[in-house]
Amino acid sequence: MPNSDPSISWPLYRPVQRTPWSSDSHVNGHAHTDAPPLVYPPAAPPSPGTILQTTFPMGPRSLAGIAMRAGLLGATFSSTLIYTVYLLNESSQFWRVPFFLAALSLFHFLEFWCTAQYNPLKADIASFLLSTNGWAYNMAHTCALLECLFWYTFFPNFRLPLWPASWHYPLLGLGLAMLVMGQAIRSAAMIIAGTSFNHTVQFTRKSGHDLVTNGVFAFFRHPSYFGFFWWGLATQMVLGNILSFLVYAVVLWLFFRARIESEFLRILR
C-alpha cells in the first residue's frame, strides 16, 4: 500500500502545486494549520470496467451490432440502387423490385441515423426498426414483393388491365413523388422533434420532452405518421401492386387512427 502522505505518494496522486518551504512552515515537525492547502489533480478517468455495458456485444446499444446493421443496410442500398439503374438501362420493368429494397434500406438507416444524431440517448439497435415492428410488418413487405413478382410474370410491362395504359407513367411518377415526400417529412419530423421524438409511445413526460410546433409540425399534427403513411402507399404504387396498396391503406389507416386516439387520451389524463 502506498504511503498516505501526499508528498511521497504514487505519481498519480502527487499534488500539482506545493508551497515554498520556509523556516516558519513547520513547528516541532507539524505544519501550520493556516498554510495554503495542497492542490491535487482531478480524479482519474473511470476504468474500462465502468464503461457503459450496453455498448458491449449482445447489448441493446452494442457498437458491433450497430456497425453490422448499418453496414448491411448501406451495402443493400448501394447494390440495389446500382442494379435498378442497370435494369432501367435495359428497359426491364423488374427494376421496381431492387428499387423497393433500396428505398426500404434507406428508410431503416435514416430511422437510426436521425435518432442517433438528434436524440442520441434513445439511440440503440432497436432504432433501426428492423425487427421491432413485429412479424406483421415484415410479412407485409414480403407479400408486397411476391405480388410484384406476380405482376411482372404475367404482365411484364406493368400495364395492368384495371386502368388505361395512358395512366401507367403518371401513376408511377405520382408514386415516386409521394415516396420522396413521405420519407422527407418523416425524417424532418424526427430531426425537428429531437429529444421529443421516440419510436415507442411514452406514458410519462420526461426531461427534454416538449411540445413541438415549428417546422413540419406547424403544418401537420403528426408529421412522422403522415410521412410513413404516404411513404408506405407510395412503395406499392411504384411496385405496381393493387392488392397490397389496398391492404396497406386500410391497415395503416386503422393503425395510426388507433395510435393517435390512444396518445390523445393519455395527454388528457
Side-chain angles (χ1 to χ4, degrees):
M1 292 291 291
N3 194 303
S4 60
D5 185 351
S7 64
I8 59 174
S9 65
W10 293 91
L12 180 63
Y13 300 102
R14 288 181 181 171
V16 176
Q17 299 177 357
R18 296 185 62 83
T19 57
W21 182 89
S22 67
S23 58
D24 296 331
S25 61
H26 286 72
V27 177
N28 297 328
H30 298 283
H32 287 297
T33 56
D34 58 351
L38 298 176
V39 180
Y40 290 89
S47 62
T50 61
I51 297 176
L52 195 61
Q53 294 186 1
T54 55
T55 61
F56 289 175
M58 305 307 293
R61 292 192 173 108
S62 168
L63 299 180
I66 291 173
M68 180 186 69
R69 287 164 176 79
L72 289 175
L73 287 174
T76 302
F77 173 77
S78 58
S79 60
T80 52
L81 190 61
I82 293 174
Y83 191 38
T84 299
V85 174
Y86 169 78
L87 291 175
L88 284 171
N89 188 57
E90 295 293 322
S91 299
S92 172
Q93 292 296 326
F94 191 70
W95 67 268
R96 299 165 187 263
V97 172
F99 178 82
F100 173 69
L101 295 176
L104 200 59
S105 300
L106 180 62
F107 169 79
H108 285 286
F109 174 78
L110 288 176
E111 289 296 296
F112 175 82
W113 184 86
C114 291
T115 304
Q117 181 70 20
Y118 298 95
N119 192 10
L121 294 181
K122 296 298 182 181
D124 55 16
I125 291 178
S127 300
F128 284 105
L129 298 185
L130 290 172
S131 58
T132 52
N133 279 340
W135 65 269
Y137 175 83
N138 298 324
M139 182 62 69
H141 290 322
T142 302
C143 291
L145 284 174
L146 292 176
E147 183 181 353
C148 182
L149 292 175
F150 169 82
W151 291 119
Y152 177 77
T153 302
F154 296 99
F155 301 93
N157 292 325
F158 276 82
R159 290 185 173 89
L160 308 183
L162 299 182
W163 51 68
S166 59
W167 291 17
H168 173 72
Y169 289 107
L171 287 175
L172 177 60
L174 178 61
L176 290 171
M178 287 170 50
L179 190 147
V180 174
M181 177 199 69
Q183 180 66 74
I185 292 177
R186 178 169 176 86
S187 296
M190 296 178 64
I191 292 172
I192 294 172
T195 57
S196 297
F197 182 88
N198 202 302
H199 280 119
T200 57
V201 178
Q202 302 297 292
F203 295 92
T204 57
R205 181 178 178 180
K206 299 179 182 179
S207 176
H209 194 187
D210 303 313
L211 179 65
V212 183
T213 58
N214 61 310
V216 292
F217 288 89
F219 302 95
F220 304 100
R221 186 174 183 180
H222 300 279
S224 62
Y225 296 165
F226 177 90
F228 183 82
F229 178 83
W230 290 108
W231 177 90
L233 295 186
T235 59
Q236 302 312 301
M237 293 180 65
V238 174
L239 285 173
N241 291 341
I242 299 175
L243 179 61
S244 293
F245 178 88
L246 297 175
V247 173
Y248 270 52
V250 173
V251 172
L252 288 176
W253 177 271
L254 294 176
F255 172 79
F256 284 127
R257 178 181 178 181
R259 186 159 184 172
I260 290 172
E261 291 178 350
S262 176
E263 291 176 352
F264 182 72
L265 290 176
R266 290 192 179 96
I267 292 175
L268 295 180
R269 295 174 185 173

